[in-house]
Amino acid sequence: MTRAQAQAQVQVLAVDFAACDGHGLCAELLPELVGLDEWGYPVLHSRTVPPDLLPHARRAVAACPVMALRLNRVPTPPPGRPPGRTTAAPRRAVSHEPPG
């Protein structure tokens, strides 16, 4: 990966709620981006990780006891193009009613 490609990617947090046991360690280590709901499960204030918080986010991901917190790289859209699908074809409408 070139330096330009690395700079054109954004780091985002994701939580695997099926794996999460609500330990709350992520919120302790990264309170700027992660809070806890009333049952102790993570609530992401922002999925996008600013560059200055990246070391803290990596530490929180590494410290998760059940590996439910993830840090993913997402390509940023080129200037002038809105975020979202970039190359996927539009979906066709599908009728769920029986023929007849």
Side-chain angles (χ1 to χ4, degrees):
M1 176 184 310
T2 67
R3 184 176 182 158
Q5 288 172 325
Q7 289 176 343
Q9 292 187 341
V10 174
Q11 301 278 340
V12 294
L13 285 174
V15 178
D16 179 355
F17 287 101
C20 183
D21 286 338
H23 292 277
L25 191 56
C26 53
E28 287 183 39
L29 294 174
L30 194 59
E32 299 87 351
L33 300 178
V34 183
L36 298 177
D37 68 10
E38 58 193 84
W39 297 283
Y41 287 91
V43 175
L44 300 178
H45 302 305
S46 172
R47 291 190 43 180
T48 303
V49 180
D52 59 321
L53 292 178
L54 198 51
H56 301 289
R58 286 186 179 129
R59 191 174 88 179
V61 167
C64 180
V66 294
M67 298 187 319
L69 187 64
R70 304 230 169 92
L71 191 58
N72 300 316
R73 289 184 182 155
V74 177
T76 57
R81 176 179 268 179
R85 285 192 202 174
T86 56
T87 59
R91 293 184 178 186
R92 293 182 313 172
V94 177
S95 174
H96 294 286
E97 295 184 21

